[in-house]
Amino acid sequence: MKLHSHTVLRRAAEIGISIESVHTAEITVNGSRQSFPNQALMVLTVFAQPISLEEGLKKIPASGAQDWILLTSIVAKLQMLGALISHEEGLALIDKNPDSFGSPQIHIAMLNDKPRTDSFTSGLQQTIRPGDVVLDIGTGTGVLAIAAARAGAKKVYAIEASGMADVAQATIDKTEVADRITLVRGWSTQVELPEKADVLVSEILGNDPFDENILQTFRDARRRLLHPNPRILPENVKVFVLPVHIPAAILHNKVLLPQDLDNWQQWYNVDFSALRRLSADQSRYLFRANAAMAAQLEIAGEPVQLAEVDFASFEEMSIRNEVQVTAQRSFNGLLMYFESKLGDAVLSTHPKVAGYTNSWVSLVWYFPKAQRLQAGDPFTVSYKYMQGNNSEISLLIP
């Protein structure tokens, strides 16, 4: 998109920032990373709210032509990276991706996941007190905002950035609690509310629990949109991995197996051994298993807890942990799942607990060396989550 002085830009919702030195910072958007002069941080701060390019640049101190050239160059590079986006195009782009939360298929699956919605509804009924103001971030179809109002909330602010906001408004309007729900269009990190809320509810737990930017979103809401000591649903999240055996039928088209190179050499008379280096990084998940596929994975050990975050008190935006484990038997993969507390209910995506209606998919890592393990052998699971990136898991075998 060509930039003009009147172009309205805003900072993208999901950005990872890492300070490299006093002069430079690394900015990550959707897995793409780029180093910038530290003035880029000031640019991102100015464009936290939608503002025209001309007005935004006026808010950034510049002394002379060289500073001006540097700033305009930074804005252009941030826009190319996706860290700055056109305000109008940003809202529209959400709905063009069939995997986005503007897609009806996503919400059909979530509404069909009755245990999920029941856990949130039950948690709201236990948490909301008369006179409470409730904030629902990422309201989607509005189902949790409606549940909050029915649980007794005096006022509910339901925030939604995607085109699903139209569905939410139409759905809310057909209920008996419509007069107590206000739909707010946009990203929660970029809106202001007329009053602060007592309760936050939000189902932005991803397949990787943190990949929908729940940490950044909740920390921002605690600081700007909520009263001190708010009640938050979900209350926490615990991240686990489960040792599993992945059958050969599932692995066949997902990993480079030793016999593959021989087969391809015979079939095509071409040496494809260069593919080995692309298959070397095992810290990122190999595939996503829906409920049916997860049921085909044989569980080969007890769950290993890698992380726990209390949403009412956390401050750190990155997580690192190592857990020493004793093998119960050999395995070749680790399946990630999470548990989250909502009042008396505990929502779990464990494949034996969640069942076939589970609207989340499980991330699965492949570790062929773990097949050498025997009962009683030690191994270590290393976990890392950095803001703006997916979780990484490594397996260390002595």
Side-chain angles (χ1 to χ4, degrees):
M1 181 189 74
K2 189 174 181 180
L3 295 175
H4 302 278
S5 61
H6 59 271
T7 302
V8 176
L9 295 173
R10 64 171 175 81
R11 187 178 66 204
E14 300 184 6
I15 294 178
I17 298 174
S18 174
I19 305 301
E20 296 183 319
S21 71
V22 295
H23 301 294
T24 61
E26 184 179 74
I27 297 173
T28 305
V29 183
N30 296 326
S32 298
R33 305 179 189 181
Q34 190 171 340
S35 290
F36 285 85
N38 59 13
Q39 290 93 330
L41 304 181
M42 188 179 299
V43 173
L44 291 173
T45 299
V46 168
F47 288 96
Q49 303 293 332
I51 188 173
S52 72
L53 177 59
E54 181 179 15
E55 292 302 313
L57 290 175
K58 286 180 181 178
K59 293 178 178 289
I60 304 174
S63 56
Q66 286 298 111
D67 277 4
W68 183 258
I69 292 171
L70 175 62
L71 285 173
T72 54
S73 171
I74 289 172
V75 169
K77 290 179 179 178
L78 286 170
Q79 189 262 338
M80 291 180 64
L81 181 65
L84 290 178
I85 58 178
S86 160
H87 181 55
E88 294 77 12
E89 288 184 348
L91 294 179
L93 281 172
I94 299 170
D95 304 317
K96 292 182 179 179
N97 182 348
D99 292 327
S100 79
F101 288 94
S103 165
Q105 288 86 350
I106 297 289
H107 295 276
I108 291 168
M110 289 194 293
L111 290 171
N112 277 329
D113 189 351
K114 192 171 183 294
R116 161 195 170 273
T117 305
D118 283 350
S119 295
F120 275 89
T121 300
S122 173
L124 286 167
Q125 291 168 349
Q126 295 171 37
T127 301
I128 292 175
R129 302 167 187 166
D132 274 346
V133 175
V134 176
L135 172 61
D136 175 16
I137 295 178
T139 196
T141 58
V143 62
L144 297 184
I146 294 166
R150 286 175 172 168
K154 177 184 73 174
K155 185 70 178 179
V156 180
Y157 293 97
I159 299 179
E160 179 59 43
S162 78
M164 193 55 59
D166 293 332
V167 173
Q169 186 66 72
T171 303
I172 291 166
D173 287 344
K174 294 179 180 178
T175 69
E176 77 286 1
V177 293
D179 61 325
R180 286 186 276 136
I181 303 174
T182 296
L183 184 72
V184 181
R185 296 173 186 262
W187 299 101
S188 69
T189 54
Q190 298 170 357
V191 304
E192 301 290 340
L193 298 180
E195 58 185 323
K196 292 194 173 183
D198 306 289
V199 177
L200 166 63
V201 61
S202 181
E203 198 289 85
I204 54 173
L205 288 163
N207 302 312
D208 173 337
F210 306 118
D211 67 7
E212 292 179 25
N213 230 28
I214 191 169
L215 297 182
Q216 180 186 7
T217 301
F218 277 22
R219 191 174 69 169
D220 174 76
R222 283 191 351 229
R223 292 177 175 180
R224 298 189 308 109
L225 306 176
L226 301 173
H227 287 300
N229 303 312
R231 281 154 278 143
I232 297 176
L233 291 177
E235 299 171 35
N236 68 355
V237 66
K238 297 179 181 180
V239 182
F240 299 85
V241 287
L242 197 60
V244 294
H245 178 72
I246 309 169
I250 293 178
L251 287 175
H252 177 64
N253 287 323
K254 300 185 183 300
V255 300
L256 181 62
L257 300 174
Q259 63 269 28
D260 289 335
L261 294 175
D262 292 338
N263 288 339
W264 299 337
Q265 178 73 48
Q266 294 178 18
W267 298 348
Y268 309 118
N269 193 27
V270 176
D271 182 354
F272 288 101
S273 58
L275 277 173
R276 279 200 184 99
R277 70 174 183 271
L278 296 179
S279 305
D281 182 11
Q282 296 175 339
S283 63
R284 298 184 183 275
Y285 72 88
L286 177 66
F287 64 93
R288 307 194 304 172
N290 60 20
M293 182 180 287
Q296 299 178 48
L297 307 179
E298 182 183 350
I299 296 174
E302 294 298 316
V304 180
Q305 182 173 323
L306 299 179
E308 179 175 2
V309 175
D310 182 333
F311 289 131
S313 61
F314 81 91
E315 289 295 337
E316 293 296 322
M317 301 295 288
S318 61
I319 304 170
R320 293 177 182 269
N321 192 24
E322 284 192 354
V323 182
Q324 295 182 344
V325 188
T326 300
Q328 293 179 291
R329 48 172 292 196
S330 65
F331 58 93
N332 64 359
L334 293 174
L335 176 146
M336 176 186 281
Y337 74 94
F338 65 84
E339 291 180 356
S340 198
K341 189 172 185 297
L342 299 103
D344 292 337
V346 175
L347 181 65
S348 175
T349 61
H350 187 296
K352 299 298 185 184
V353 175
Y356 73 94
T357 63
N358 183 14
S359 55
W360 285 277
V361 298
S362 298
L363 307 185
V364 181
W365 280 256
Y366 175 57
F367 297 106
K369 291 182 180 179
Q371 294 176 102
R372 301 200 305 257
L373 291 170
Q374 298 180 6
D377 287 346
F379 65 94
T380 301
V381 181
S382 177
Y383 177 74
K384 180 175 73 172
Y385 170 77
M386 304 293 288
Q387 183 183 355
N389 298 285
N390 292 324
S391 292
E392 296 184 8
I393 293 176
S394 301
L395 193 65
L396 307 176
I397 299 174

